[in-house]
Amino acid sequence: KRVNGVLKISIPKACEILKVGYAYSELTNRIVLTYNDRKTVLFLDSKYFLYENERSVEMEDAPSKYDKDILISGKSFANILSSLFNCEVFWNENRMTLLIETDAKKDAASSGTTAFKDSGYKLKKIVIDAGHGGHDSGAKGPTGLLEKDMNLDIANRVVRLLKSKLPIEIITTRIDDTFISLQERVNIANRNNADLFVSIHCNAKGRRTSAESAYGTECYIFSEVASDENAAEVAQRENVGAPTDFLSFLLNDLGKKSTESISISMAGYIEDKLVNDVGLYGRKDSMIMRAPFYVLARTKMPAVLVEVAFISHPGEEQKLASPYFREKVALSIFQAIKKYHSEINIDETKESIPTENQESN
């Protein structure tokens, strides 16, 4: 999360992901983290933590409470984890990624801790997916604006920017009002061995919300378990037409876990740009959302799905109807991709090889 422009990690959420025991006492302001047989004690608003109740370690900043959450900088959290995991842990501010380096691979796998190492991944080929199309119009705005048209226009603008400014191969799932099944969108990405998949959509209110109360932007990565009920409903709506048993194939598949950190980084960059540059409201404190979207589940590469804004909200529908607004959105998505490309391809000589390869049924 960003607090006054400063990137912070949610300690409870990070502990949940890393399978670290977490307990907080409001009475004593103590935060106790446990991992296997090891324990670390932090104190709210204190730069010192205790490891095994003996060694006092100073951090760069102190854990602080913010909107019912407890946050700390990535660098300080990496310092805490180094002691707790008894291995080297680093925080990459640009990629918004924790890198955990340990030789105890078997122990790490059994405990749920992921060891991230440099895999040589580069961003050389990207799929831009305009959601819906043809007879599948997607969501519809109060004045009749169709999601499929907005998705396509924004996607085509992103493609135009990518073609003119980045040396990567660009693949599109559709460039006109054509219906492409969810299975074929996935097939296009997988058979082209893409390095990144970005799916562009517009959101719509759910069963439990009114048109006026549902607004803002959300970026999703894959998870079998949705972040909340609304996220689950969004995925259910976008998965219409997908095989109903598609999740069963993933139960023993570690492929999505191996690309999760990259997907999180990319989603974070897009979310940050749409909130700070376009001025959209970042729902859920601009956190990266998770849900079982079919196109995110079945693609073999890092993948994100962007719900740009709520077409069902009168004000946001009016914004989406503006070509100027859609250009701003496209520019922000492009800049997020460019930022990520420049970081992971930093050691490469930049060659001018932009192409466009459009596939269809």
Side-chain angles (χ1 to χ4, degrees):
K1 299 181 180 180
R2 289 194 182 275
V3 181
N4 298 325
V6 179
L7 193 65
K8 299 279 188 176
I9 282 181
S10 166
I11 296 179
K13 183 63 178 176
C15 287
E16 178 186 345
I17 293 170
L18 293 167
K19 304 295 188 292
V20 169
Y22 169 84
Y24 168 62
S25 169
E26 290 189 357
L27 185 64
T28 62
N29 279 337
R30 278 180 18 129
I31 305 159
V32 180
L33 308 183
T34 54
Y35 176 76
N36 291 344
D37 59 346
R38 296 187 286 272
K39 180 172 70 172
T40 295
V41 180
L42 294 76
F43 301 90
L44 210 61
D45 301 320
S46 170
K47 289 186 178 182
Y48 292 87
F49 71 86
L50 295 176
Y51 173 61
E52 292 297 317
N53 291 324
E54 295 177 0
R55 187 158 55 94
S56 177
V57 182
E58 185 176 8
M59 301 176 287
E60 188 176 80
D61 66 325
S64 57
K65 213 168 185 181
Y66 178 79
D67 193 23
K68 298 182 180 180
D69 201 355
I70 296 178
L71 309 179
I72 197 168
S73 71
K75 187 174 182 180
S76 290
F77 192 63
N79 194 4
I80 295 166
L81 293 180
S82 292
S83 295
L84 192 61
F85 290 161
N86 194 27
C87 67
E88 294 293 330
V89 181
F90 304 95
W91 169 248
N92 188 314
E93 183 81 9
N94 291 327
R95 297 190 188 183
M96 296 184 284
T97 304
L98 282 166
L99 297 103
I100 304 168
E101 296 189 352
T102 173
D103 293 329
K105 294 180 180 179
K106 185 175 180 180
D107 175 65
S110 63
S111 65
T113 302
T114 304
F116 296 108
K117 291 185 180 293
D118 185 7
S119 63
Y121 168 84
K122 301 293 180 184
L123 179 54
K124 297 181 178 180
K125 191 184 298 184
I126 184 172
V127 173
I128 300 298
D129 172 47
H132 306 282
H135 67 265
D136 176 14
S137 61
K140 188 176 182 179
T143 68
L145 203 66
L146 298 180
E147 181 192 356
K148 67 172 183 177
D149 297 332
M150 301 302 100
N151 298 343
L152 180 62
D153 184 80
I154 293 170
N156 284 344
R157 291 171 186 268
V158 172
V159 168
R160 171 178 52 79
L161 290 164
L162 288 170
K163 285 179 63 179
S164 64
K165 298 182 182 297
L166 274 188
I168 60 177
E169 183 178 350
I170 304 149
I171 300 161
T172 58
T173 55
R174 69 183 183 101
I175 58 172
D176 53 25
D177 188 18
T178 302
F179 172 75
I180 307 292
S181 69
L182 297 178
Q183 294 97 320
E184 181 58 17
R185 293 170 194 269
V186 168
N187 292 340
I188 289 170
N190 289 342
R191 67 173 166 252
N192 281 282
N193 295 313
D195 301 309
L196 181 66
F197 179 89
V198 178
S199 189
I200 297 172
H201 290 257
C202 295
N203 217 334
K205 76 177 190 66
R207 293 186 297 271
R208 293 172 294 276
T209 55
S210 66
E212 289 73 21
S213 63
Y215 58 93
T217 188
E218 293 177 336
C219 287
Y220 285 87
I221 65 168
F222 170 76
S223 174
E224 291 181 47
V225 180
S227 298
D228 55 30
E229 290 183 359
N230 288 329
E233 188 174 338
V234 174
Q236 184 180 33
R237 184 169 63 241
E238 300 290 8
N239 286 341
V240 172
T244 56
D245 62 343
F246 75 89
L247 280 178
S248 65
F249 296 107
L250 295 168
L251 296 180
N252 298 312
D253 182 11
L254 300 178
K256 296 311 290 188
K257 279 294 180 185
S258 69
T259 63
E260 185 175 70
S261 63
I262 300 172
S263 299
I264 290 172
S265 294
M266 190 68 257
Y269 291 153
I270 294 174
E271 176 83 14
D272 187 57
K273 285 291 182 181
L274 290 177
V275 171
N276 294 323
D277 293 1
V278 181
L280 287 164
Y281 169 70
R283 293 169 59 81
K284 298 288 183 181
D285 293 323
S286 299
M287 70 179 285
I288 303 307
M289 303 294 288
R290 298 166 184 261
F293 290 94
Y294 179 84
V295 294
L296 301 185
R298 301 304 292 162
T299 43
K300 296 178 181 179
M301 67 290 304
V304 301
L305 186 145
V306 187
E307 296 281 0
V308 173
F310 277 76
I311 199 169
S312 57
H313 186 276
E316 292 196 342
E317 183 202 31
Q318 185 177 7
K319 289 181 179 179
L320 286 164
S322 164
Y324 173 72
F325 176 81
R326 297 196 300 272
E327 182 68 16
K328 284 179 65 178
V329 168
L331 182 60
S332 291
I333 295 174
F334 159 74
Q335 287 174 338
I337 295 170
K338 181 182 177 183
K339 178 181 179 182
Y340 189 68
H341 175 271
S342 67
E343 288 173 358
I344 64 172
N345 293 52
I346 194 168
D347 58 334
E348 289 193 345
T349 302
K350 305 255 190 256
E351 298 179 11
S352 182
I353 53 167
T355 61
E356 181 180 0
N357 175 18
Q358 192 268 333
E359 292 197 25
S360 66
N361 289 357

